[in-house]
Amino acid sequence: MINIKEEIAKRIAEQASDLTQEQIEQIIEIPQDQKMGDYAFPCFRLAKVYHKAPPLIAKDIAEKLSGDSMFEKVEQVNAYVNMFLDKQQVAGIALESALDRENFGKSNVGEGKTIVIDFSSPNIAKPFHIGHIRTTVIGNSIYKIFDSLGYNVVRTNHLGDYGTQFGKMICAYRHWGNDEDIERDPIKTLLAYYTKFHVEAEKDPELNEEARKTFYNLEHGGEDEIRIWKWFSDLSLREFNRVYDMMGIEFDAYDGESMYSDMMPGIIQELKDKGLLQESQGANVVDLDEYKLPPALITKSDGTSLYCTRDLATAEYRKEHYDFYKNIYVVASQQSLYFKQLFKVLELMGYEWAKDCVHVPFGMVALEEGTLSTRKGRVVFLEDVLKKAVEKTKEIIMEKNPDADAASIDEVAKEVGIGAVMFNELSNSRIKDYVFKWDQVLNFDGETGPYVQYTHARCASVLRKAGEDAVAKAQTGNVDTSFLTGDAAYTLIKLLYQYPEVVQDAADKYEPSIVTRHIIDIAQAYNKFYHDEHILVDDEAEKLAKVALTIAAKNAIANGLDLLGVKAPDRM
Ligand code: ARG
């Protein structure tokens, strides 16, 4: 497909040969105000090269570009070259690519490159709560975005299935556990034990010592500890998978922290050999003072390994197994400092690929009553949120459409309810903190997932009414684009041809919300077009052009929603 920005950059590069086409592409802007053109090129950077005032350079370039059939007009305003594209030509280009649903917005820039993405990664025997939704949904979307750009993406779930908390959990189970309760409702029961452990340990500090020993045994082959731990793990995974299924999320590997336990002695030895390990109050650390970072903790005084040690092993393992181009961690911003330490240690170990490790942080979710706290039992289960959203959607559908058949209501309610929750997660830039509010998650008005899905269903309905014949003809793209130059249609067309750029931008910034915002814009533009103009008019040529635009909008919304992991139903 033709990338318009690239085409423009090519033309400017011919005029201003001192910048490369790529540099120019980075400078080209999309003006906020449509009156300033579809694209603008600021000439400030050329002033130095040409020893000329930017407006004079802009004037020169504008004049030279003016004759090009790609543009309706090119103007110089101050230091800017403002370019107005030829609407019909652009409509043709946009339709040609957007009508090809299969390939629209996709590319193969990533061919031959492997990306490992570590996301979700919940902790075993702990609730899969609303705090995990972000890494899960953002990670899944980043996977989909890179996948659509041709990368080979490995989704890995670095389950937190190791560490001292298992000592506590096993202790608690031994003191107060009941197998039947656990089998019936594993995570809530284990959570109750874990909470109780902390309450009791305040009164009786001996318990902490017992927990420490229990974890030591677990790490050193204690049979009973391993048996209980495995049982907890299996039960937890069963629950996690239920939630992943609801959201349609899959992983290629469930390589939890425990998988790397065998590699611990090797890592510790390696750090020693490389002269990086230091003793500090009985523990082993890598000192990072020189880099203004706190020391990285490698082993505790009793020799047990830590989160960081396991992550060092994990990174080495991933490089060996996948030879990654990028190794991405979608983990809360609370761990930003930790990842700086981790990557720094890898660098000091001499791994040049440390630079390919990327932490993609996101902001915190809090509850109205305060921060989430597993220990204090202040949690909202993700599964409950998803279920509630589905129920509420079902109510709304039944209210609006009492005659719909039950099976299809259930299906749509699932797609819309769960889609709404996921879409909501991906609406704001990921780094923002937010407070979880039931009514916000269950609000389906305004710029929400259901609104975008509804627009998709509206396009589908227009196409059903247009009939198969008209749709087949429009699908060829052989339509008269002079019918698509009205304001509403043109706004939509612009959004369509920008869509591939938007996907690439979202990938560069690891920011799915860029896609979310764009498909909201597309939905709004289509709805405006739908209200402002008659689509299924008598004039055959006009009708086909507008049907083609409807197919294109539908494809863009469907592909965009797919990148978010959200379904696009044809009927709602
Ligand atoms: N289980 C960790 C947590 O819940 C997240 C793990 C992220 N991945 C990693 N390789 N450290 O905080």
Side-chain angles (χ1 to χ4, degrees):
M1 94 150 256
I2 300 186
N3 179 327
I4 298 207
K5 199 171 177 185
E6 212 175 281
E7 288 295 316
I8 295 175
K10 206 186 285 172
R11 286 163 168 77
I12 296 177
E14 283 162 15
Q15 310 305 331
S17 51
D18 291 287
L19 295 182
T20 66
Q21 186 181 318
E22 265 149 36
Q23 285 171 322
I24 292 173
E25 241 180 274
Q26 275 166 11
I27 302 176
I28 292 176
E29 299 171 359
I30 295 180
Q32 294 288 339
D33 182 353
Q34 200 153 328
K35 282 198 220 75
M36 307 305 275
D38 300 312
Y39 283 98
F41 179 68
C43 294
F44 304 105
R45 273 186 58 186
L46 286 172
K48 263 202 204 115
V49 184
Y50 292 112
H51 303 291
K52 234 159 90 174
L56 292 178
I57 303 172
K59 184 156 181 280
D60 199 38
I61 294 178
E63 268 165 21
K64 286 187 174 133
L65 292 181
S66 282
D68 196 305
S69 69
M70 186 172 185
F71 305 110
E72 190 177 281
K73 67 177 176 197
V74 184
E75 286 176 351
Q76 171 247 327
V77 176
N78 301 325
Y80 286 82
V81 183
N82 292 343
M83 294 161 274
F84 298 79
L85 298 168
D86 180 85
K87 293 196 175 87
Q88 260 183 266
Q89 227 191 87
V90 169
I93 295 171
L95 282 184
E96 192 189 317
S97 66
L99 286 172
D100 179 8
R101 158 101 201 253
E102 223 17 39
N103 297 308
F104 183 48
K106 305 194 179 149
S107 89
N108 50 14
V109 286
E111 220 170 70
K113 294 185 179 130
T114 296
I115 288 184
V116 177
I117 178 161
D118 172 334
F119 69 103
S120 198
S121 309
N123 296 327
I124 293 285
K126 293 257 194 86
F128 198 26
H129 58 68
I130 191 68
H132 294 115
I133 190 173
R134 309 213 70 192
T135 163
T136 306
V137 173
I138 294 169
N140 183 56
S141 179
I142 294 177
Y143 148 69
K144 292 211 163 216
I145 291 170
F146 279 102
D147 182 60
S148 80
L149 297 176
Y151 293 87
N152 170 38
V153 192
V154 181
R155 296 161 287 183
T156 179
N157 196 326
H158 190 75
L159 294 166
D161 57 0
Y162 224 57
T164 40
Q165 72 267 30
F166 291 96
K168 294 179 186 170
M169 200 89 67
I170 293 169
C171 269
Y173 165 70
R174 283 177 173 159
H175 284 282
W176 313 291
N178 172 317
D179 289 15
E180 272 161 43
D181 289 345
I182 296 180
E183 285 288 348
R184 197 181 51 249
D185 193 354
I187 295 197
K188 282 185 188 156
T189 308
L190 291 174
L191 174 64
Y193 296 163
Y194 190 63
T195 311
K196 186 172 166 103
F197 180 91
H198 286 100
V199 174
E200 297 296 324
E202 296 233 324
K203 293 181 241 160
D204 176 10
E206 268 301 298
L207 275 173
N208 282 320
E209 183 49 26
E210 187 186 324
R212 203 191 52 71
K213 276 196 197 127
T214 310
F215 178 61
Y216 183 90
N217 290 343
L218 177 64
E219 202 168 29
H220 293 83
E223 262 173 46
D224 196 49
E225 283 83 2
I226 292 181
R227 177 189 63 81
I228 299 171
W229 164 80
K230 241 198 119 357
W231 179 44
F232 290 173
S233 296
D234 291 344
L235 291 171
S236 308
L237 256 181
R238 221 191 287 159
E239 290 218 19
F240 298 159
N241 278 324
R242 219 165 49 222
V243 178
Y244 293 138
D245 277 350
M246 288 173 91
M247 296 196 284
I249 290 177
E250 290 172 24
F251 293 88
D252 302 298
Y254 285 90
D255 295 339
E257 290 184 42
S258 66
M259 197 189 96
Y260 305 96
S261 61
D262 289 354
M263 292 171 72
M264 290 309 96
I267 290 286
I268 294 163
Q269 191 57 46
E270 188 185 345
L271 288 167
K272 265 188 203 146
D273 292 347
K274 292 181 172 165
L276 294 168
L277 215 56
Q278 284 183 11
E279 232 196 85
S280 163
Q281 294 156 4
N284 280 307
V285 304
V286 177
D287 181 72
L288 299 172
D289 211 29
E290 204 180 311
Y291 311 96
K292 299 202 168 48
L293 292 169
L297 301 178
I298 304 300
T299 61
K300 289 197 189 172
S301 48
D302 64 2
T304 48
S305 71
L306 286 148
Y307 184 53
C308 179
T309 330
R310 294 187 286 274
D311 255 329
L312 290 170
T314 306
E316 281 192 24
Y317 173 89
R318 287 181 189 162
K319 186 63 195 177
E320 250 166 56
H321 273 73
Y322 304 115
D323 191 22
F324 55 73
Y325 160 74
K326 288 261 186 285
N327 175 28
I328 300 174
Y329 300 82
V330 184
V331 184
S333 60
Q334 280 116 309
Q335 293 188 33
S336 289
L337 183 63
Y338 166 74
F339 279 104
K340 283 202 186 102
Q341 295 171 289
L342 177 67
F343 300 161
K344 183 51 92 181
V345 175
L346 288 170
E347 186 192 315
L348 294 175
M349 290 169 93
Y351 294 122
E352 55 79 33
W353 48 262
K355 66 173 186 346
D356 304 324
C357 296
V358 187
H359 175 217
V360 175
F362 54 83
M364 207 166 67
V365 186
L367 299 180
E368 283 172 290
E369 52 276 25
T371 48
L372 292 166
S373 166
T374 312
R375 284 190 199 184
K376 296 193 176 127
R378 208 156 54 210
V379 284
V380 173
F381 287 80
L382 184 46
E383 189 169 5
D384 294 342
V385 175
L386 296 175
K387 279 190 181 150
K388 258 203 192 171
V390 174
E391 268 163 41
K392 156 139 186 204
T393 313
K394 208 165 153 177
E395 275 166 30
I396 298 177
I397 298 176
M398 295 215 284
E399 228 170 76
K400 289 195 175 153
N401 197 353
D403 309 324
D405 74 280
S408 81
I409 291 186
D410 280 345
E411 189 55 29
V412 174
K414 244 171 70 190
E415 293 183 353
V416 176
I418 291 172
V421 175
M422 294 172 74
F423 192 96
N424 181 56
E425 265 323 305
L426 298 168
S427 293
N428 293 317
S429 78
R430 58 178 157 74
I431 204 68
K432 270 198 195 160
D433 291 342
Y434 77 93
V435 175
F436 175 85
K437 293 191 182 115
W438 278 106
D439 33 330
Q440 192 205 327
V441 174
L442 299 180
N443 167 24
F444 296 169
D445 301 324
E447 299 178 346
T448 61
Y451 168 77
V452 174
Q453 287 175 319
Y454 179 76
T455 311
H456 180 267
R458 165 174 275 173
C459 293
S461 148
V462 168
L463 298 180
R464 282 193 297 272
K465 283 190 196 128
E468 279 175 25
D469 208 35
V471 170
K473 279 186 196 149
Q475 179 63 48
T476 64
N478 201 352
V479 298
D480 185 347
T481 51
S482 67
F483 294 108
L484 304 178
T485 54
D487 278 352
Y490 189 57
T491 305
L492 178 55
I493 281 168
K494 276 174 60 166
L495 292 166
L496 291 177
Y497 74 68
Q498 287 161 5
Y499 175 81
E501 291 168 28
V502 164
V503 176
Q504 182 61 54
D505 192 33
D508 294 343
K509 297 182 175 134
Y510 307 106
E511 184 64 87
S513 68
I514 295 177
V515 174
T516 316
R517 307 302 315 169
H518 198 74
I519 55 174
I520 290 172
D521 289 347
I522 290 179
Q524 283 171 340
Y526 184 79
N527 287 323
K528 182 158 175 16
F529 170 66
Y530 179 90
H531 287 294
D532 287 4
E533 303 206 19
H534 291 295
I535 297 176
L536 302 178
V537 291
D538 291 337
D539 183 279
E540 180 75 1
E542 182 176 345
K543 181 173 82 183
L544 289 185
K546 290 176 170 178
V547 168
L549 186 56
T550 302
I551 302 174
K554 179 174 182 284
N555 289 347
I557 294 176
N559 286 6
L561 284 175
D562 184 55
L563 293 182
L564 307 179
V566 175
K567 293 274 187 325
D570 275 340
R571 288 172 206 267
M572 265 170 83

